[in-house]
Amino acid sequence: MSRKRSLIRSGTTVDQMVRAIGDRIVTGFLRPGEKLDEASLAARFDVSRTPVREALGRLSAMGLVERRPNRGATVAVVTQEHLASMFESMAELEAICARFSAERMTTAERRALEIEHQASARLVQLRAEEDYEYFNTEFHTRLYRGAHSKHIYELTVMTRSRLAPFRRAQFMLPGRLAKSWQEHNVIVTAIMRGDGAAAGQAAKDHVSIVSEASAVFAAVDSMKPAGSIGMSC
């Protein structure tokens, strides 16, 4: 079996490409209007063009890539208005999940949430951005599951996936890890005492702050095409 095929069958290649390309779009390495060349991307990731097309399709669904017939894929313009609209929806969904978690989480779920949250303080002290980012995803997923509502869980996860590159980008900002932990602490405290209203408000405030932190990465200038690119950085 060739290395390329092995990578494709591993089930991680497309996810890795979505993450890598999405992060470069959000942080400005890839400019609005730049063409995303399938052949160049395939060569960079050492895969065939099939998973590249799938990755670009996911990025298109997230609003980061535009795909037009006979014109291929280009980096989309993400305005502050559009980003704010998505985060507004996310804030409401997170508030619902936190409120329901305070009301519905089992004793075991509450304890696990608190233990993981307290353990993450070490990551803040070490300034371990990547590790904290992983924890952050797990933390919010615990809230979604703790709501014990399958429909709300699916809707929230889908919305979060569209904002994932922007939510990751916030941790590049100075002091954001510590602030994020403090905001999580307010949410956890409310959930542990079963205060649904306080938990919901804390979660909403948290996502609103994340929105403000992430807004600096939104494209506000006009499109400036720079030809065809293949993830140069």
Side-chain angles (χ1 to χ4, degrees):
M1 180 184 295
S2 69
R3 183 180 172 216
K4 289 185 179 182
R5 184 167 298 177
S6 176
L7 282 169
I8 295 170
R9 290 186 176 181
S10 70
T12 61
T13 302
V14 173
D15 289 338
Q16 290 173 345
M17 284 190 289
V18 169
R19 180 188 177 96
I21 299 172
D23 286 349
R24 282 163 175 76
I25 291 174
V26 168
T27 55
F29 283 102
L30 301 180
R31 302 286 296 172
E34 290 190 43
K35 184 176 180 180
L36 298 169
D37 181 66
E38 289 185 3
S40 297
L41 290 170
R44 179 178 179 84
F45 288 102
D46 193 22
V47 297
S48 71
R49 294 174 72 163
T50 298
V52 170
R53 293 191 188 100
E54 182 177 344
L56 293 177
R58 291 192 193 179
L59 289 164
S60 177
M62 294 164 68
L64 295 177
V65 168
E66 289 186 5
R67 304 181 79 182
R68 299 178 182 177
N70 303 318
R71 294 187 61 181
T74 58
V75 177
V77 174
V78 180
T79 65
Q80 288 184 346
E81 291 76 15
H82 179 63
L83 187 62
S85 177
M86 289 194 292
F87 267 111
E88 182 178 48
S89 300
M90 189 78 249
E92 295 295 337
L93 288 169
E94 294 256 7
I96 292 172
C97 289
R99 176 164 60 85
F100 282 177
S101 288
E103 298 169 353
R104 302 176 180 179
M105 266 187 170
T106 64
T107 300
E109 287 174 327
R110 293 171 196 270
R111 178 167 175 75
L113 177 70
E114 184 178 35
I115 290 174
E116 290 299 316
H117 167 62
Q118 294 300 333
S120 70
R122 179 63 174 166
L123 302 178
V124 176
Q125 295 173 353
L126 296 174
R127 298 181 182 178
E129 293 182 6
E130 288 191 13
D131 290 338
Y132 186 84
E133 178 201 319
Y134 175 78
F135 157 76
N136 183 64
T137 299
E138 291 298 305
F139 175 84
H140 285 275
T141 299
R142 285 183 184 276
L143 298 185
Y144 308 160
R145 289 175 176 159
H148 291 278
S149 171
K150 182 179 179 181
H151 179 68
I152 290 175
Y153 172 83
E154 293 175 347
L155 184 60
T156 307
V157 169
M158 179 183 68
T159 304
R160 183 179 69 178
S161 69
R162 300 188 66 178
L163 286 166
F166 291 97
R167 296 188 73 151
R168 284 195 298 271
Q170 65 169 310
F171 297 122
M172 299 178 187
L173 301 177
R176 183 56 200 152
L177 289 186
K179 291 178 182 177
S180 174
W181 190 91
Q182 292 166 1
E183 293 156 18
H184 285 178
N185 194 56
V186 177
I187 298 171
V188 172
T189 299
I191 289 176
M192 294 304 292
R193 66 171 185 256
D195 190 336
Q201 187 60 54
K204 185 175 181 178
D205 291 344
H206 171 56
V207 177
S208 296
I209 294 172
V210 172
S211 174
E212 294 173 3
S214 303
V216 298
F217 297 102
V220 293
D221 56 337
S222 58
M223 296 177 66
K224 299 177 181 179
S228 175
I229 55 89
M231 290 288 292
S232 59
C233 61

